[in-house]
Amino acid sequence: MLIEAIIFFLGLAIVFYVLFGGADFGAGVLELISGKGDRETIAHAIGPVWEANHVWLILVVVILFMGFPKIYSTMSLYLHIPLLIMLIGIVFRGTAFAFMHYDAIQGKSNKVYNWVFKTSSLITPLFLGIVIGAVVLGKITASPQTFFEGFVAPWLNLFSFTVGLFTLILFAFLAAVYLIGETTDDKQISSFTTIAKTLNACAVSTGILIFSLAEINGLPLFSMYINSPFAMGMVAFASLSIPVLWWALKTERKILSRVVAAGQVISILLAWFWVQMPVVIRMAGNTQDLTFYNSVAPDATLWQLFWALVVGSCIILPSLYYLMKVFKGDQFDPQN
């Protein structure tokens, strides 16, 4: 049960990162789409909390490093190029956002900061998804003969790129739904609603494309889902809730639309976790796949990690709630 408890914390951190950090990146993508008109609303929405959202990514890294070191080292070695690009994007994006809004001199350099902010908002989730696609596809070779085979081919392929595109669309979709509740301007509400519906439809199309590409690449993703009643249940929920979401968006039920959108994303993640478990990294050839169970750290290390996570949760969760309460005020009050 100790391993399962650590996996639970890992899954929870990923879900929170997607729901909050993902929407944060998505807001930058929306600014790229909509232009200057929505910049102030987006900056107001993400300004107070954007740094805090990355605590979940840090938690994921710490859990993998300490609890499942083989998985951590394999990803860091064979996928170091997309991971490096992703990390550069995170650093550049945060730096550009801070200078863009808090620089003492708001001159021409502001345009550069804004361009860096929007570009890194696009690149970072794209490469996050590419990393996910690479660990799922099973092209990582333990004993590569060339640099390209070992460190480029596992992630530079159409399947991984499509998973990256799917991740990018999901993040932007969440941001569009969340931002509807951040403005009272009718024109902006209409714009975000249209974008949210469009991205929702794009997510469905891209998801179907991922299944098709998986089959072409020898990954039986379709049968993995079909043979899992739980995963199919999650997919059914995500699909059947689309009309509810569109109705909530049309009638401007902001809280309901946020809940349904978040529920759709959580159900997609749960379905993926379920069909993957316990495999984390699929390896090419005859090399054994890396699972939570054959990559786990000794019990003594897991116990230290477990108690650190329990104590850390008791500190982080109330702190984040207080942060949101202070900066989002009545909007974040669950009674509203």
Side-chain angles (χ1 to χ4, degrees):
M1 289 298 290
L2 182 58
I3 299 177
E4 285 75 15
I6 301 295
I7 295 171
F8 171 77
F9 278 108
L10 178 64
L12 201 62
I14 292 173
V15 168
F16 280 150
Y17 187 64
V18 170
L19 292 183
F20 299 115
D24 197 11
F25 285 110
V29 177
L30 291 187
E31 188 173 329
L32 195 64
I33 297 172
S34 59
K36 293 173 63 175
D38 302 324
R39 184 180 301 174
E40 195 172 325
T41 302
I42 291 171
H44 175 75
I46 68 176
V49 296
W50 65 271
E51 305 105 319
N53 289 331
H54 291 299
V55 73
W56 305 113
L57 181 61
I58 295 168
L59 195 57
V60 170
V61 173
V62 169
I63 292 174
L64 289 178
F65 177 77
M66 193 169 175
F68 308 98
K70 182 67 175 175
I71 292 171
Y72 177 88
S73 61
T74 301
M75 289 180 67
S76 302
L77 178 63
Y78 295 104
L79 302 176
H80 69 273
I81 295 175
L83 284 172
L84 180 64
I85 294 172
M86 187 186 123
L87 291 175
I88 289 174
I90 290 174
V91 173
F92 272 53
R93 181 180 183 276
T95 306
F97 185 82
F99 278 109
M100 191 165 59
H101 293 281
Y102 305 116
D103 192 359
I105 303 172
Q106 297 287 318
K108 292 182 179 177
S109 57
N110 204 266
K111 291 183 179 177
V112 177
Y113 299 143
N114 185 253
W115 181 84
V116 173
F117 170 73
K118 291 187 291 190
T119 306
S120 51
S121 295
L122 186 76
I123 290 173
T124 309
L126 179 67
F127 275 84
L128 172 63
I130 286 174
V131 170
I132 296 170
V135 300
V136 172
L137 187 58
K139 299 290 186 185
I140 296 176
T141 306
S143 303
Q145 300 301 309
T146 63
F147 181 87
F148 183 84
E149 183 187 5
F151 307 112
V152 179
W155 59 270
L156 190 60
N157 51 69
L158 189 56
F159 175 81
S160 298
F161 180 81
T162 308
V163 176
L165 184 63
F166 182 71
T167 307
L168 183 66
I169 290 171
L170 272 191
F171 286 4
F173 161 69
L174 281 174
V177 175
Y178 291 174
L179 283 169
I180 292 170
E182 298 285 342
T183 180
T184 55
D185 184 281
D186 289 340
K187 188 178 176 184
Q188 283 190 329
I189 291 174
S190 174
S191 171
F192 288 138
T193 299
T194 302
I195 292 173
K197 288 181 178 177
T198 305
L199 291 172
N200 195 224
C202 288
V204 175
S205 306
T206 314
I208 294 171
L209 183 59
I210 287 173
F211 277 89
S212 305
L213 290 172
E215 296 295 331
I216 292 172
N217 283 277
L219 176 66
L221 201 58
F222 184 73
S223 59
M224 288 163 66
Y225 273 76
I226 287 291
N227 293 326
S228 170
F230 179 82
M232 287 306 297
M234 291 295 100
V235 173
F237 170 80
S239 305
L240 296 175
S241 61
I242 290 175
V244 179
L245 174 67
W246 285 41
W247 173 78
L249 290 171
K250 182 180 179 182
T251 54
E252 296 186 17
R253 285 171 166 77
K254 299 174 182 177
I255 300 297
L256 179 61
S257 58
R258 287 183 177 188
V259 170
V260 176
Q264 286 183 335
V265 174
I266 291 172
S267 63
I268 291 169
L269 288 175
L270 285 176
W272 173 60
F273 288 158
W274 201 263
V275 298
Q276 274 281 112
M277 272 292 287
V279 175
V280 180
I281 301 179
R282 295 183 185 280
M283 302 295 292
N286 297 321
T287 308
Q288 188 180 24
D289 294 337
L290 295 183
T291 72
F292 285 116
Y293 298 101
N294 65 15
S295 308
V296 70
D299 279 357
T301 306
L302 286 189
W303 276 114
Q304 292 179 30
L305 177 60
F306 173 75
W307 287 116
L309 291 170
V310 171
V311 174
S313 299
C314 294
I315 298 171
I316 291 173
L317 292 176
S319 301
L320 285 175
Y321 177 81
Y322 185 65
L323 177 74
M324 299 291 280
K325 182 75 175 174
V326 168
F327 287 102
K328 296 295 180 181
D330 293 340
Q331 250 185 69
F332 191 68
D333 194 333
Q335 295 180 355
N336 289 333

